[in-house]
Amino acid sequence: MNKLLFLILSVFIANSLSAEDIELKRIEPPNWWVGMKNPNLQLLVYGKNIAKTTPEINHPGIELKEVKRTDNPNYLFLNLTLKNELQAGNMTITFTGGEKKILHEYFFKKRREGSAQRKGFDASEVMYLLMPDRFANGDTLNDNMPGMTEKADRNNKNGRHGGDIKGISNHLDYLKDLGIKSLWINPVVENNNPEFSYHGYAITNFYKTDPRYGTNEDYVKLIKSCHDKGMKVVMDMVFNHCSVHHWFIRDLPSDNWIHQFDDYTRSNFRAATTFDPYASDYDQERMLTGWFDVHMTDLNQKNKNLATYLIQNSIWWIEYADLDGIRVDTQPYSYKEFLSQWGEAIFKEYPNFNVVGESWLHKEAFVAYFQEGTKNFDGYNSHIPSVTDFPMKYALSSAFNEKDGWLEGIARFYYVHGQDFLYGDPQQLLVFADNHDLDRIYSSLKNNFASWKMAMALMLTTRGIPCIYYGTELLMEGLEHDGHGFIREDFPGGWPNDPRNAFNKEERTARENAAYEYLHKLIKWRNSRSVIHSGKFKHFIPENNTYVYFRYSDNECTMVAFNNNPNEMKALDAIKYKECLDPYTYAINVITGEPVYFMDSFTIPPKSVLILDFKK
Ligand code: CA
């Protein structure tokens, strides 16, 4: 269409509307930054009949390259090119529709110093996962907020309990004392849903902190406090789905923004269909387009405007909140091509950043498929450096309960480790014993404290990035089949009127203190032991219900030896481990601090782990 004709038509359409029929409600991202590597920015503009206006930008350093309209007159997508000469400050966007002129001031901020070089979480750090609604309630005044449909009810296991950002910031010293170096916090963005709003995965606004947790500014302050205490923060993000109550779902920009069906259609949750060479189109389609749950609509990232929206949203949070990492929810459920494009965009802006994908699959080969650097048969590269080590998790929650076997019991770890060749980078695996979706590890291990200690020791000494679920340090219990509320219970003492405060040593039980002290000791030791962060790994075939591995480098060596026999003391012949021990003369027992002189053998008491740092 020639420009003149377009102008005449636009004026004609605009004139046919009365001025009050045109509104500007929001523009997202709400601001941007100057000096980003990617010169392109797409603004989603929303408001009644806004597409019937003509947007104009006359600002040095900005070119309005393209104006995109959809079938819905309430949306405009503005494609901008940002040039080097663009300065921080306001630019004016003018929307003209007939008589009506709407002016909007859009702000470009200056970036933080060193923003592009920010360093993501890594295997030198112990991560702690907490659920903000269930950790601590630092401000009871925000438990119920105007406009938020679900009200707090601590008696409802599936309800909101009132935990918030203030509650987290009140307890940073507790986490620091435990030795924690990074926090993964379940989603904090708005979930304005009538029920189940506490878990955070049914988002109603991608740019706004849920007011029952605090404001965006409170979230930024929390991250600043974490940084001041030497802790990183990982933001939990969801691209696969959002709430049916999200504002853009209630007024879809276009029909193909989401996957729609005549009748409710659920995903088959068989993530392997996304790469299985034999998968039927039917199964793969159902996996990717089916909804996660009745109240979570499935987003279609094949829609380019939506893909751009999600990518920019992630970059906005990194830059705005000063993030150290992102956890990608339900990684295999989004189109893998989209996630790869997302990863590329993130790492183009922040080459030293880190991202962990929730690759919830049961087999090593399946998880490996989703990690960056894995040599996949179809050439797929996720551009996501870290993935969740679910095979190790399944071994951790069962091996110590089982009798010795060729494949079962302690041998499980031998086979999980032995498949590390599949991964792009085993050191980037997130190693965990439980999380907010799974049985709590102490319950998985049938409340056996000795088994729990062995599981924690493995998690903190194997390759990868260990992640502790809140309350594990106090042996919190819960089984997923009883309901999610049972594995996401309130941290005792997080609420003002709790009968006891387990953040304080004096108010913990003897058993809780024993668990806390054990983890505390192991984590503190791990924090200073570089061979555990980046050393090589070598293991020996399990024998007589024992399993031994070494973490080693040119100058350091640590031995981790498990005895899973319930009653029998085991002596390990030192000569067998000669290839690892040669330059060393003695060792320090990491737990007891005692020296160990190993002439012939190492002895391990029943149902325990021996961790030895070797010395020359
Ligand atoms: Ca609160």
Side-chain angles (χ1 to χ4, degrees):
M1 190 182 330
N2 80 39
K3 271 190 178 159
L4 185 66
L5 183 61
F6 177 77
L7 199 66
I8 293 167
L9 268 177
S10 307
V11 169
F12 175 77
I13 294 164
N15 278 341
S16 65
L17 289 164
S18 65
E20 55 272 24
D21 281 338
I22 301 176
E23 278 174 49
L24 172 62
K25 262 190 129 162
R26 63 174 93 220
I27 296 186
E28 287 178 349
N31 72 278
W32 203 246
W33 289 266
V34 292
M36 302 296 285
K37 228 175 214 162
N38 181 358
N40 302 310
L41 174 66
Q42 182 177 74
L43 302 181
L44 179 158
V45 182
Y46 180 64
K48 198 169 153 201
N49 289 316
I50 197 70
K52 294 181 177 173
T53 68
T54 304
E56 265 183 296
I57 299 170
N58 287 309
H59 190 89
I62 296 178
E63 182 195 344
L64 174 54
K65 218 170 38 179
E66 191 186 8
V67 178
K68 288 165 87 177
R69 290 175 171 81
T70 67
D71 293 338
N72 185 338
N74 301 334
Y75 288 88
L76 275 177
F77 292 87
L78 310 185
N79 287 343
L80 313 184
T81 306
L82 313 179
K83 298 179 181 163
N84 286 340
E85 61 263 35
L86 177 64
Q87 300 285 318
N90 276 334
M91 73 151 178
T92 307
I93 314 176
T94 311
F95 299 89
T96 310
E99 301 291 297
K100 188 142 181 175
K101 229 183 218 326
I102 301 170
L103 303 183
H104 179 83
E105 295 299 314
Y106 192 84
F107 193 64
F108 286 93
K109 290 186 187 176
K110 211 166 161 258
R111 297 181 76 182
R112 292 166 199 276
E113 203 167 320
S115 177
Q117 298 310 318
R118 68 186 60 241
K119 177 88 182 66
F121 60 90
D122 63 37
S124 70
E125 298 148 2
V126 177
M127 194 182 282
Y128 188 91
L129 161 62
L130 65 84
M131 184 160 266
D133 183 58
R134 302 297 167 91
F135 187 63
N137 189 354
D139 178 6
T140 52
L141 296 177
N142 65 16
D143 292 2
N144 297 299
M145 290 295 280
M148 295 292 112
T149 44
E150 190 177 10
K151 302 300 169 200
D153 178 7
R154 250 187 118 189
N155 296 318
N156 177 1
K157 286 227 179 254
N158 298 318
R160 288 199 84 94
H161 291 188
D164 48 39
I165 288 171
K166 183 83 176 8
I168 302 169
S169 57
N170 286 348
H171 297 291
L172 292 183
D173 284 335
Y174 168 83
L175 299 169
K176 193 184 170 180
D177 287 345
L178 186 56
I180 299 305
K181 295 283 184 186
S182 66
L183 293 186
W184 156 21
I185 303 170
N186 291 125
V188 293
V189 287
E190 187 192 86
N191 273 236
N192 192 8
N193 302 305
E195 52 181 2
F196 298 104
S197 71
Y198 77 96
H199 57 62
Y201 292 97
I203 295 169
T204 54
N205 189 329
F206 282 90
Y207 280 98
K208 187 181 163 204
T209 301
D210 195 294
R212 292 161 293 188
Y213 294 141
T215 61
N216 279 5
E217 291 76 18
D218 293 333
Y219 182 58
V220 174
K221 263 191 238 160
L222 169 69
I223 293 174
K224 170 84 171 60
S225 309
C226 289
H227 290 170
D228 290 346
K229 291 183 188 294
M231 281 186 270
K232 295 178 177 172
V233 177
V234 179
M235 187 167 178
D236 202 332
M237 294 192 178
V238 195
F239 310 124
N240 176 63
H241 49 262
C242 71
S243 167
V244 291
H245 302 290
H246 190 291
W247 62 266
F248 66 39
I249 300 300
R250 287 177 164 178
D251 189 15
L252 286 172
S254 46
D255 287 345
N256 70 356
W257 194 259
I258 59 172
H259 295 118
Q260 307 199 54
F261 303 89
D262 291 337
D263 298 306
Y264 174 69
T265 302
R266 194 181 272 268
S267 172
N268 53 28
F269 303 106
R270 298 284 186 152
T273 55
T274 61
F275 53 79
D276 171 0
Y278 305 131
S280 63
D281 295 346
Y282 175 88
D283 288 340
Q284 190 182 93
E285 178 84 3
R286 183 63 60 90
M287 160 66 198
L288 287 166
T289 63
W291 288 25
F292 209 74
D293 208 344
V294 274
H295 60 292
M296 295 176 188
T297 180
D298 198 73
L299 294 167
N300 174 19
Q301 308 93 2
K302 281 190 181 169
N303 179 306
K304 285 201 167 62
N305 293 333
L306 173 62
T308 304
Y309 181 89
L310 295 171
I311 291 169
Q312 290 183 165
N313 178 255
S314 302
I315 292 174
W316 188 87
W317 278 111
I318 296 172
E319 202 67 34
Y320 172 76
D322 205 11
L323 299 177
D324 308 290
I326 291 174
R327 179 257 186 189
V328 175
D329 184 60
T330 47
Q331 184 184 4
Y333 292 77
S334 295
Y335 287 114
K336 61 188 182 188
E337 299 78 9
F338 158 73
L339 271 186
S340 179
Q341 186 199 348
W342 177 89
E344 259 193 298
I346 298 295
F347 287 95
K348 196 175 159 196
E349 292 291 352
Y350 311 99
N352 306 319
F353 194 66
N354 208 356
V355 173
V356 54
E358 185 203 14
S359 46
W360 189 344
L361 293 120
H362 291 68
K363 301 281 182 197
E364 289 80 354
F366 293 179
V367 176
Y369 183 83
F370 290 102
Q371 187 181 34
E372 179 178 57
T374 298
K375 288 182 179 58
N376 283 319
F377 70 97
D378 58 358
Y380 178 66
N381 182 355
S382 70
H383 292 289
I384 291 185
S386 174
V387 286
T388 45
D389 192 353
F390 270 90
M392 185 65 88
K393 175 262 160 321
Y394 289 115
L396 280 166
S397 50
S398 59
F400 299 114
N401 295 337
E402 295 170 341
K403 290 205 169 105
D404 195 18
W406 189 261
L407 296 170
E408 304 77 33
I410 202 94
R412 286 187 188 275
F413 300 116
Y414 178 69
Y415 292 106
V416 173
H417 284 134
Q419 293 176 73
D420 274 4
F421 66 89
L422 291 163
Y423 292 106
D425 183 0
Q427 291 282 35
Q428 283 270 25
L429 290 169
L430 193 84
V431 184
F432 58 103
D434 55 3
N435 69 23
H436 60 292
D437 289 323
L438 303 161
D439 292 348
R440 280 192 172 272
I441 185 63
Y442 191 53
S443 298
S444 300
L445 298 173
K446 305 183 192 308
N447 295 17
N448 184 316
F449 189 44
S451 294
W452 178 89
K453 287 206 276 189
M454 288 196 280
M456 293 299 111
L458 192 137
M459 185 172 83
L460 291 163
T461 56
T462 184
R463 81 289 184 267
I465 305 159
C467 180
I468 296 169
Y469 183 40
Y470 80 95
T472 295
E473 72 275 25
L474 303 181
L475 306 176
M476 276 174 75
E477 297 168 41
L479 293 170
E480 193 269 337
H481 73 70
D482 292 331
H484 276 154
F486 289 83
I487 53 174
R488 302 166 177 177
E489 289 196 328
D490 300 341
F491 193 104
W495 276 249
N497 297 321
D498 280 356
R500 70 184 182 110
N501 182 1
F503 288 107
N504 291 338
K505 187 180 173 180
E506 296 72 27
E507 296 181 53
R508 295 199 279 259
T509 65
R511 178 50 66 92
E512 285 171 346
N513 271 326
Y516 180 93
E517 289 307 327
Y518 181 77
L519 263 187
H520 178 257
K521 182 168 261 177
L522 270 183
I523 295 171
K524 290 280 178 176
W525 161 78
R526 189 191 189 280
N527 284 348
S528 63
R529 189 73 177 156
S530 62
V531 75
I532 306 296
H533 312 158
S534 55
K536 293 178 186 161
F537 186 98
K538 182 176 282 194
H539 63 176
F540 290 76
I541 300 168
E543 262 186 334
N544 304 321
N545 215 357
T546 66
Y547 176 53
V548 177
Y549 59 77
F550 289 82
R551 301 300 308 276
Y552 68 103
S553 62
D554 290 345
N555 312 309
E556 285 183 305
C557 180
T558 293
M559 176 195 208
V560 186
F562 297 87
N563 175 6
N564 198 34
N565 288 288
N567 306 308
E568 239 176 291
M569 182 86 105
K570 282 286 168 195
L572 305 175
D573 196 351
I575 196 83
K576 179 174 167 183
Y577 311 104
K578 194 171 178 295
E579 65 188 284
C580 298
L581 300 180
D582 235 4
Y584 300 99
T585 53
Y586 75 105
I588 298 292
N589 181 321
V590 168
I591 299 297
T592 64
E594 290 164 354
V596 177
Y597 298 93
F598 48 91
M599 298 307 286
D600 306 313
S601 65
F602 307 97
T603 46
I604 327 175
K607 206 73 190 157
S608 74
V609 55
L610 180 68
I611 308 174
L612 299 179
D613 280 345
F614 288 96
K615 305 282 175 190
K616 283 181 186 167

